[in-house]
Amino acid sequence: MALCKLTQCCCGCSLQTGTKVIGVWFLLGATGRLVQAFSQMLASFDREDGDSMLLDSISWMIGSVAAIAATVSVLVAAWNNRHPVLIVPWLVLKSVSLTVGIAFVSYKGVSFTRANGSSSGICYFAVALVATAIVSYSWLVIYSYYHELVATGKKLAKCDQEKAMKFGSC
């Protein structure tokens, strides 16, 4: 099964530019989650139920650090316009988090609907659907850029090989 690949990002910008914008956006989000988890961890020390809150904040911190590391590697690849292998961790991480996120949102949406009524549940699902669409499109842009870099790398390798054969340095 072949996935759809884009040739440009939204608003007509290149995949490289789109990857940079998406990377910066996700980096800001992951950094914000890290700061939030750290402040939650500090607040957990003053509460009686702080143990579960502490474990929750530590898991968020670990996830945020992993997301920051993967996003920084995407930004390095995009700014240098080479090394497509640096994009793979982000693609894998976002694929897994998107799948888990859809399952989590479905579960929480049903629970939210039961607790608060159908109109609130519909709003919850609508917001979740928009967020899922944005993350999926972002993933598709970076996936397409990854394949563009791979194709460019193969062309450059072929040109280098042809030049080497032409000048007899092989």
Side-chain angles (χ1 to χ4, degrees):
M1 179 178 101
L3 270 175
C4 174
K5 290 182 203 151
L6 304 173
T7 56
Q8 63 183 15
C9 190
C10 58
C11 303
C13 64
S14 70
L15 291 174
Q16 182 184 12
T17 303
T19 299
K20 289 177 184 178
V21 170
I22 291 167
V24 168
W25 183 255
F26 275 90
L27 184 63
L28 290 173
T31 304
R33 282 191 305 274
L34 181 65
V35 169
Q36 180 186 16
F38 186 73
S39 65
Q40 182 180 356
M41 182 183 75
L42 293 177
S44 71
F45 296 131
D46 298 334
R47 297 179 52 150
E48 285 184 25
D49 63 338
D51 289 343
S52 66
M53 198 171 160
L54 178 65
L55 290 174
D56 188 39
S57 62
I58 288 172
S59 65
W60 275 102
M61 288 172 72
I62 292 169
S64 296
V65 167
I68 289 170
T71 305
V72 166
S73 70
V74 165
L75 289 171
V76 168
W79 251 278
N80 292 331
N81 203 25
R82 59 177 181 240
H83 304 301
V85 73
L86 293 175
I87 297 174
V88 173
W90 190 91
L91 291 172
V92 171
L93 182 68
K94 288 301 169 190
S95 296
V96 170
S97 65
L98 192 60
T99 304
V100 170
I102 289 170
F104 179 76
V105 163
S106 300
Y107 172 75
K108 285 301 242 183
V110 170
S111 299
F112 190 76
T113 301
R114 285 185 176 170
N116 299 321
S118 63
S119 63
S120 296
I122 290 171
C123 287
Y124 180 85
F125 277 116
V127 169
L129 181 65
V130 169
T132 301
I134 291 170
V135 172
S136 298
Y137 180 75
S138 300
W139 186 90
L140 187 58
V141 167
I142 294 178
Y143 173 78
S144 299
Y145 180 63
Y146 166 79
H147 281 282
E148 183 179 285
L149 279 181
V150 168
T152 303
K154 286 180 182 176
K155 287 179 189 173
L156 290 175
K158 185 178 178 183
C159 287
D160 288 343
Q161 186 180 23
E162 287 175 359
K163 285 180 185 176
M165 292 171 72
K166 188 176 188 179
F167 294 110
S169 61
C170 279

